């Protein structure tokens, strides 16, 4: 029973925050303190940044913002996400609460009820609406930016900053982030650009996480609980296993472990402190790993399902499913299998019969009925959505997934298994970061279902338990801006605000905010160094003469002698020139008055410190020069390129857009300048619809690093090849121009998917197209949708009516079959 003071506090809260109190009463769970604080801030009229662990319930604060909007007659709320899958999921959740007539969805290729009062969208869609001054922004009161830490993404992160900077001042912003180590810094920036913003940070998981290491068939705790949670001391049994040189290892009385045979059919609890149990002899340098089917059986017996196995490879995910299938594992009952089949058939009924075999539908369905599935970017979107739904309904028990599943989709597990602690980043195998470890294991523990979640790291040869413990102990990672001005951004800002104001806006970006903060620290280092330099200079003062001058001679001579030793194979002329200079310096040094000083070497030691510190200080000064105004300087270079190409007219009084510049305003993407120039020069005139689709694909497609360059082999014939050659030549010219203006340029066009996209747009069969594309169905659909997005832009902005019509025809040709499928 609560005390009188607690009842009084609750009564006061209800009076001061009636909307928060009413909203909290509607929830299934009692709101956590950080959720209450977020709701109170919004009800008080402030924006809010909420940084909390995965699964902690951050979205409740965003949902409260929607609740506030719906208490009025006309206010709107937009909910933005970084991925279409997240948008689709949130759309369905909000429809269940507010009804289909009140909720819309805009994801670029999906437009449902776009004028609704609640609209879920990808962040890019909102950015485009702001630049177009869309009428849909009228009455907008709240914007929820889910997964706002995506602004660190080097490809798409700038979009988040553009939205934050350009949203009307009246809009309250709800920023939802994973736990980042510099949340206060990010909050300070939000407060600067958006006004009154409250920063709320929580590092408490609603469901505690137990960390284990799977050694053979033992689940050993990663940490020794007896040392207290604050110490995070590594289980010494794991350290003994690591240091073992081949002798039999055994669990001592203090070691804690699971054995699968102790937990059959029981709810998983904390590992019991057990008696002395010998473990079979093993050479610790090579401890045999359990096969995946055996790991699944172990987790099933220990009541640790459902589980997500993170495997950093699509091929690995599919192979894992096949291994479990071949082992004959079934994790579902007859009733569950019937329910699974009914849901799958309903969700995929619009897929064409002839495509099902190509997509491996029947084997996929059989795996689902066994309670097992894979989840990765190469999977057909329709199949991924089904897997997510079945998992949420507790019908699929084991999912083998790549790390993309960890990015916000609502698929919590009882257990998360990491088979390896490293992944291939496209160039080399690298260890996962603490942020990645936290994101992945954050999926473990279902609120309201599990008492605790479980993270299992499988032992691998050479594993260091201390390193794993360090990853598990660090809960945060820094949020750094990836913002950079683009051509499209530049013309939109100039058109809306003029050049001077646009430059000021860019200087208010988080990128510049962070750079300026870094400059403050660097400037402090410079000041401290200058004080030390003055001290060194005083210490090396010599009554015989100018010792800094003498020290400079000694230093140059020393550097040349070192170079002479290292560069023994230099041309004779260079060596002779160097020797001559060295002799001259020796003569100067010997004749210098300081050379005869009895304290010469003591002075020289201070001089050495002086020059070393001076070099460091000069380097820091150069850093300051490059950072101060860095974003605005890039903007100036972008403006110079646009002016050179006649997209803007920049005179002393005003900067204005030309007709080409106004076209550029509506072209979004990495190749905005190349697309605009190609249209202006008419390079794609005369292309038919399939060829224009293939050309658009070349502009958006990014090949894998290991993908071979096929040259012109496989390219569509006829007019396409000439247009492709002209576009490639134009790209090279623009790249040279960007390099001349100290801009990074862009990658060459990639034609690896052009033939397959041409065939698909002509009505080709799916099996043939996927063979030509040499990629999974899900990958082809992703590139096809990006191709559609560019074709849609061309159909709107092309001044040549023929190209606009062709773009619409190409769009229709690509948007069919599995590409057109959408479950929403």
């Amino acid at each position: 029973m609560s005390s009188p003071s607690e009842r009084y506090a609750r009564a006061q809260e209800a009076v001061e925050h009636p909307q928060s109190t009413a909203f909290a009463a509607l929830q299934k769970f009692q709101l956590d303190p950080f959720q209450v604080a977020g709701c109170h801030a919004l009800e008080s009229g402030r924006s809010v940044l909420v940084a909390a662990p995965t699964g902690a319930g951050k979205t409740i604060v965003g949902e409260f913002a929607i609740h506030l909007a719906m208490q009025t007659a006309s206010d709107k709320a937009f909910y933005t996400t970084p991925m279409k899958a997240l948008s689709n999921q949130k759309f369905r959740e909000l429809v269940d609460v507010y009804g289909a007539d009140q909720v819309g969805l805009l994801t670029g290729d999906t437009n449902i009820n776009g004028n609704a009062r609640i609209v879920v969208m990808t962040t890019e869609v909102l950015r485009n609406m702001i630049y177009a001054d869309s009428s849909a922004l009228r009455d907008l009161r709240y914007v929820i930016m889910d997964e706002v830490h995506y602004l660190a993404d080097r490809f798409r992160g700038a979009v988040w900053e553009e939205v934050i900077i350009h949203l009307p001042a009246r809009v309250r912003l709800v920023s939802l982030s994973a736990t980042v180590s510099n949340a206060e810094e990010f909050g300070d920036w939000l407060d600067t650009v958006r006004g009154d913003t409250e920063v709320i940070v929580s590092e408490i998981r609603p469901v505690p996480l137990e960390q284990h290491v799977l050694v053979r068939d033992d689940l050993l705790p990663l940490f020794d609980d007896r040392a207290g949670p604050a110490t995070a001391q590594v289980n010494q049994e794991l350290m003994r296993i690591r240091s073992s040189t081949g002798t039999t290892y055994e669990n001592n009385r203090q070691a804690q472990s699971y054995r699968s045979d102790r937990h059959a059919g029981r709810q998983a609890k904390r590992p019991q402190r057990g008696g002395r149990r010998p473990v079979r002899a093993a050479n610790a340098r090579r401890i045999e790993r359990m096969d995946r089917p055996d790991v699944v059986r172990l987790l099933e017996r220990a009541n640790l399902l459902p589980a997500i196995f993170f495997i950093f490879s699509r091929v690995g995910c599919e192979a894992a499913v096949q291994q479990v299938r071949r082992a004959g594992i079934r994790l579902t009952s007859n009733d569950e299998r019937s329910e699974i089949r009914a849901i799958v058939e309903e969700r995929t009924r619009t897929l064409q019969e002839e495509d099902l075999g190509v997509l491996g539908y029947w084997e996929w369905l059989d795996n689902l009925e066994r309670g097992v599935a894979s989840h990765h970017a190469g999977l057909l979107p329709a199949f991924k959505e089904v897997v997510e739904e079945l998992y949420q309904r507790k019908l699929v028990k084991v999912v083998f997934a790549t790390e993309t599943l960890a990015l916000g989709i609502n698929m919590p597990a009882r257990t998360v298994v990491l088979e390896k602690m490293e992944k291939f980043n496209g160039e080399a195998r690298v260890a996962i970061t603490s942020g990645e470890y936290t994101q992945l294991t954050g999926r473990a523990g279902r609120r309201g279902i599990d008492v605790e979640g479980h993270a299992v790291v499988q032992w691998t040869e050479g594993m260091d338990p201390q390193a794993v413990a360090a990853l598990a102990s660090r809960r945060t990672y820094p949020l750094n801006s990836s913002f950079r001005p683009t051509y499209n951004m530049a013309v939109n800002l100039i058109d809306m605000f003029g050049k001077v104001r646009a430059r000021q806006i860019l200087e208010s970006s988080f990128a510049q905010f962070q750079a300026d903060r870094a400059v403050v620290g660097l400037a402090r280092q410079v000041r401290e160094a200058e004080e030390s330099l003055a001290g060194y200079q005083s210490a090396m003062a010599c009554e015989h003469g100018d010792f800094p001058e003498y020290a400079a001679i000694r230093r140059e001579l020393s550097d040349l002698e070192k170079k002479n030793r290292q560069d023994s194979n230099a041309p004779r002329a260079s060596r002779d020139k160097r020797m001559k200079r060295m002799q001259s310096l020796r003569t100067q040094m010997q004749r210098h008055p300081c050379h005869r000083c009895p304290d010469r070497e003591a002075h020289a030691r201070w001089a050495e410190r002086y020059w070393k510190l001076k070099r460091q200080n000069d380097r820091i000064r150069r850093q300051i020069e490059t950072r101060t105004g860095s974003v605005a300087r890039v903007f100036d270079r972008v403006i110079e390129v646009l002016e050179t190409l006649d997209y803007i007219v920049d005179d002393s009084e005003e900067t204005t857009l030309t007709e080409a510049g106004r076209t550029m305003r509506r072209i979004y993407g990495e190749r905005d300048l190349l697309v605009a120039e190609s249209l202006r020069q008419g390079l794609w005139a005369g292309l038919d619809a399939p060829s224009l689709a293939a050309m658009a694909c070349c502009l958006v497609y990014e090949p894998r690093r290991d993908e071979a360059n096929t040259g012109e082999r496989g390219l569509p014939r006829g007019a396409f090849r000439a247009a492709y050659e002209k576009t490639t030549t134009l790209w090279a010219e623009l790249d040279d121009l960007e390099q001349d203006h100290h801009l990074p340029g862009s990658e060459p066009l990639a034609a690896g998917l052009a033939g397959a996209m041409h065939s698909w747009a002509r009505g080709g069969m799916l099996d043939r197209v996927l063979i030509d594309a040499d990629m999974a169905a899900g990958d082809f659909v992703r590139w096809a949708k990006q191709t559609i997005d560019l074709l849609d832009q061309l159909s709107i902005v092309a001044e040549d009516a023929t190209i606009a019509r062709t773009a619409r025809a190409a769009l229709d040709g690509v948007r069919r079959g599995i590409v057109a499928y959408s479950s929403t």
Side-chain angles (χ1 to χ4, degrees), residues 674 726-738 749:
L674 180 58
K726 290 177 183 176
T727 307
T728 301
T729 300
L730 174 60
W731 166 81
E733 293 170 354
L734 294 177
D735 192 64
D736 289 343
L737 179 62
E738 289 176 316
L749 272 69

Side-chain angles (χ1 to χ4, degrees), residues 152-202:
D153 184 89
R154 69 189 184 97
F155 296 110
R156 300 171 57 205
V159 175
W160 274 256
E161 290 191 48
E162 289 178 76
V163 169
I164 291 169
I165 292 170
H166 298 312
L167 273 175
R170 68 177 184 276
V171 176
R172 298 292 90 191
L173 189 65
V174 182
S175 304
L176 307 177
S177 171
T179 308
V180 293
S181 53
N182 59 336
E184 286 76 14
E185 178 188 43
F186 184 48
D188 287 347
W189 175 69
L190 288 172
D191 195 73
T192 301
V193 296
R194 299 296 316 164
D196 194 4
T197 300
E198 185 160 335
V199 179
I200 298 167
V201 178
S202 173

